[in-house]
Coordinates of all heavy atoms in Angstrom, one line a residue:
M8 N 76.4 98.7 64.6 CA 76.8 99.0 66.0 C 76.9 97.6 66.7 O 76.4 96.6 66.3 CB 75.8 99.9 66.7 CG 75.6 101.2 66.0 SD 74.6 102.3 66.9 CE 75.7 102.8 68.2
S81 N 91.8 82.0 56.7 CA 92.4 83.3 56.5 C 92.2 84.1 57.8 O 91.1 84.1 58.4 CB 91.8 84.0 55.3 OG 92.1 83.4 54.1
H183 N 68.7 101.5 68.3 CA 68.6 100.3 67.4 C 68.4 100.8 66.0 O 67.5 101.6 65.7 CB 67.4 99.5 67.8 CG 67.5 98.8 69.1 ND1 66.8 97.7 69.5 CD2 68.3 99.0 70.1 CE1 67.1 97.3 70.7 NE2 68.0 98.1 71.1
G213 N 68.1 91.8 51.4 CA 68.9 90.7 51.6 C 68.1 89.5 52.0 O 66.9 89.6 52.3
T223 N 68.5 86.7 67.5 CA 67.7 86.1 68.5 C 67.5 84.6 68.3 O 67.1 83.9 69.2 CB 66.3 86.7 68.6 OG1 65.7 86.7 67.3 CG2 66.5 88.2 69.0
P270 N 89.9 115.7 88.3 CA 90.4 116.6 89.3 C 90.5 118.0 88.8 O 90.7 118.2 87.6 CB 91.7 116.0 89.7 CG 91.7 114.6 89.2 CD 90.8 114.6 88.0
N300 N 73.3 119.3 82.4 CA 72.7 119.6 83.7 C 72.3 121.1 83.9 O 72.5 121.6 85.0 CB 73.6 119.1 84.8 CG 73.7 117.6 84.9 OD1 73.1 116.9 84.2 ND2 74.6 117.1 85.8
L355 N 103.9 115.0 89.4 CA 105.1 115.9 89.4 C 106.4 115.2 89.4 O 107.4 115.7 90.0 CB 105.0 116.9 90.6 CG 103.8 117.8 90.7 CD1 103.8 118.6 91.9 CD2 103.6 118.6 89.4
Y379 N 89.1 100.9 80.6 CA 90.1 101.9 81.0 C 90.5 102.7 79.7 O 90.6 102.1 78.6 CB 91.3 101.2 81.6 CG 91.0 100.7 83.0 CD1 91.2 99.4 83.3 CD2 90.6 101.6 84.0 CE1 91.0 98.9 84.6 CE2 90.4 101.1 85.3 CZ 90.6 99.7 85.6 OH 90.3 99.3 86.9
P394 N 98.6 107.0 72.9 CA 99.2 106.2 71.8 C 99.5 107.1 70.6 O 99.0 108.2 70.5 CB 98.1 105.2 71.5 CG 96.8 105.8 71.9 CD 97.2 106.6 73.1

Side-chain angles (χ1 to χ4, degrees):
M8 303 187 72
S81 297
H183 294 199
T223 54
N300 289 356
L355 302 178
Y379 285 123

